[in-house]
């Protein structure tokens, strides 16, 4: 069973990362005017503004995919690095969204429905992966690591039970599957289409819950971890600080241009700043995962 799971993980991560890279290069080719057909001609008109951004996105996507492959093939499952591999592959794929749309989007029909649904599946898998990672790295968390639900106020007890369920090996993946089934059912009944499923407000709630679980896991790992565990967590926090810093720069820039009325530069600086912040986050994740403390003598 372990061999089958490992093989499936590696094939999944390799396939998702490869399609992401394919989409990025296809979009670069289209913006460069070398794509055949109308798509290349249309996108070529956007070359001065979007080509630098697309190239940077491709580099970030490739970096995330490369790290995902490394963790899938070399990472320790007991540290949750399989979850990190899935999360990084998912982020690599979602960064390549415009290119994936360009090369894979089928005509309306059954295949189009599956296509529209799969982006949400990828994102939910990524969220589940990062929750699993932080429940295993750098300290393994379980029900004994947190306050029992019975000792909490009645209104908090259900949330704590959910948190404990997410600490189990299968918990994040089962939660992602159930969330997808519920989202798809509600969206299908409400609109009869899945094209905008990723924009459903419930997705924002799921993203918030996943981030909350990650923060709680990291905090608990810090409390119960030793010197090495805390140093590894320090790298994670460092990477997160760089990502948040990039977001704050974007917010400050928005306020500055709105207040002064100055003309913005003719480049897509906001996505570029976000890409740089994400590179910093990837750097922090890599340093954290590769830091195993002083070598034992």
């Amino acid at each position: 069973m372990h061999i089958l799971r490992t093989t499936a993980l590696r094939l999944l991560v390799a396939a998702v990362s490869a399609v992401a890279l394919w989409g990025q290069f296809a979009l670069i080719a289209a913006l460069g005017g070398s794509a055949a057909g109308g798509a290349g001609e249309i996108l070529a008109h956007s070359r001065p503004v979007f080509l630098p951004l697309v190239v940077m996105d491709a580099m970030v996507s490739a970096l995330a995919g490369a790290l995902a492959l490394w963790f899938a093939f070399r990472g320790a499952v007991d540290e949750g690095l399989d979850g990190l591999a899935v999360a990084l592959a998912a982020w690599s794929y979602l960064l390549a969204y415009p290119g994936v749309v360009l090369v894979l989007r089928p005509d309306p029909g059954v295949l189009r429905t599956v296509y529209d649904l799969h982006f949400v599946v990828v994102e939910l898998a990524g969220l589940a992966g990062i929750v699993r990672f932080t429940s295993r790295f750098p300290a393994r968390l379980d029900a004994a690591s947190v306050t029992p639900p019975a000792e909490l106020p009645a209104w908090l007890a259900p949330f704590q039970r959910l948190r404990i369920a997410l600490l189990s090996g299968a918990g994040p993946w089962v939660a992602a599957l159930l969330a997808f089934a519920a989202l798809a059912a509600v969206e299908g009944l409400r609109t009869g289409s899945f094209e905008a499923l990723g924009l459903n407000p419930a997705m924002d709630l799921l993203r918030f819950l996943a981030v909350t679980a990650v923060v709680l896991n990291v905090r608990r790992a810090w409390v119960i971890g030793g010197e090495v565990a805390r140093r590894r967590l320090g790298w994670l926090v460092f990477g997160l600080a760089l990502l948040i810093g990039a977001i704050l720069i974007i917010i400050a820039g928005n306020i500055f241009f709105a207040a002064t009325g100055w003309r913005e530069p003719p480049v897509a600086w906001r996505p570029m700043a976000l890409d740089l912040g994400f590179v910093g986050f990837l750097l922090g994740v890599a340093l954290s995962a590769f830091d195993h403390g002083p070598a034992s003598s």
Side-chain angles (χ1 to χ4, degrees), residues 90-109:
W91 290 337
S92 173
Y93 191 84
L94 294 174
L95 279 173
Y97 175 84
V100 173
V101 170
L102 183 66
V103 299
L104 288 184
R105 194 179 197 186
D107 294 330

Side-chain angles (χ1 to χ4, degrees), residues 70-183:
W70 176 271
F71 293 131
F73 283 86
R74 301 295 298 272
V77 173
D78 60 349
E79 285 193 331
L81 294 180
D82 55 339
L84 180 59
V86 172
L88 292 177
W91 290 337
S92 173
Y93 191 84
L94 294 174
L95 279 173
Y97 175 84
V100 173
V101 170
L102 183 66
V103 299
L104 288 184
R105 194 179 197 186
D107 294 330
V110 175
L111 287 179
R112 177 65 168 272
T113 299
V114 174
Y115 175 84
D116 291 337
L117 286 170
H118 94 282
F119 282 107
V120 173
V121 172
V122 170
E123 182 174 358
L124 289 175
L127 294 175
I130 197 65
V131 170
R132 171 173 165 75
F133 169 61
T134 55
S135 71
R136 295 291 188 275
F137 181 92
R140 186 184 180 94
L141 303 177
D142 53 26
S145 307
V146 300
T147 305
E151 298 180 10
L152 294 173
W155 67 274
L156 273 179
F159 296 101
Q160 190 71 333
R161 292 190 186 94
L162 174 60
R163 183 187 179 194
I164 291 173
L166 292 176
L167 295 178
S168 68
W173 312 116
V174 173
L177 181 61
L178 293 176
F180 169 72
L183 273 172

Side-chain angles (χ1 to χ4, degrees), residues 43 117 210 254 262 272 274:
L43 290 172
L117 286 170
N254 291 339
W262 287 15
M272 288 183 178
L274 194 59

Side-chain angles (χ1 to χ4, degrees), residues 13-25 92-93 96 99-100 103-104 118:
V13 170
V16 170
S17 301
V19 173
L21 201 57
W22 176 31
Q24 294 284 19
F25 279 119
S92 173
Y93 191 84
V100 173
V103 299
L104 288 184
H118 94 282

Side-chain angles (χ1 to χ4, degrees), residues 28-287:
I28 290 173
L31 283 171
S34 61
E41 296 175 3
I42 294 171
L43 290 172
H45 293 296
S46 305
R47 185 188 311 158
V49 175
F50 292 111
L51 186 56
L53 170 62
V54 171
V55 171
M56 182 174 284
D57 275 349
M59 295 172 63
V60 176
S61 185
L63 177 59
L67 284 174
L69 289 169
W70 176 271
F71 293 131
F73 283 86
R74 301 295 298 272
V77 173
D78 60 349
E79 285 193 331
L81 294 180
D82 55 339
L84 180 59
V86 172
L88 292 177
W91 290 337
S92 173
Y93 191 84
L94 294 174
L95 279 173
Y97 175 84
V100 173
V101 170
L102 183 66
V103 299
L104 288 184
R105 194 179 197 186
D107 294 330
V110 175
L111 287 179
R112 177 65 168 272
T113 299
V114 174
Y115 175 84
D116 291 337
L117 286 170
H118 94 282
F119 282 107
V120 173
V121 172
V122 170
E123 182 174 358
L124 289 175
L127 294 175
I130 197 65
V131 170
R132 171 173 165 75
F133 169 61
T134 55
S135 71
R136 295 291 188 275
F137 181 92
R140 186 184 180 94
L141 303 177
D142 53 26
S145 307
V146 300
T147 305
E151 298 180 10
L152 294 173
W155 67 274
L156 273 179
F159 296 101
Q160 190 71 333
R161 292 190 186 94
L162 174 60
R163 183 187 179 194
I164 291 173
L166 292 176
L167 295 178
S168 68
W173 312 116
V174 173
L177 181 61
L178 293 176
F180 169 72
L183 273 172
V186 171
E187 186 74 6
L189 291 173
R190 188 174 69 90
T191 66
S193 170
F194 302 103
E195 190 170 359
L197 181 59
L199 301 178
N200 190 300
M203 275 299 297
D204 290 328
L205 176 61
L206 291 172
R207 294 174 186 121
F208 173 78
L209 290 175
V211 170
T212 301
V214 167
V215 170
L216 291 175
N217 288 346
V218 169
R219 179 183 178 277
R220 194 59 189 168
W222 180 275
V223 170
I224 68 175
E227 179 183 352
V228 174
R230 290 186 176 184
R231 185 172 65 246
R232 299 177 90 179
L233 284 172
W235 286 121
L236 277 179
V237 173
F238 165 75
L240 186 60
L242 292 178
L243 179 58
I244 293 174
I247 295 173
L248 291 177
I249 288 174
I250 293 172
I251 294 173
N254 291 339
I255 294 173
F256 173 80
F257 286 116
T260 62
W262 287 15
R263 186 175 183 179
E264 295 195 27
V267 294
W269 65 272
R270 293 178 183 84
M272 288 183 178
L274 194 59
D275 278 346
L276 290 175
F278 188 59
V279 168
F281 175 72
L282 292 177
L283 176 64
V285 167
L287 290 172

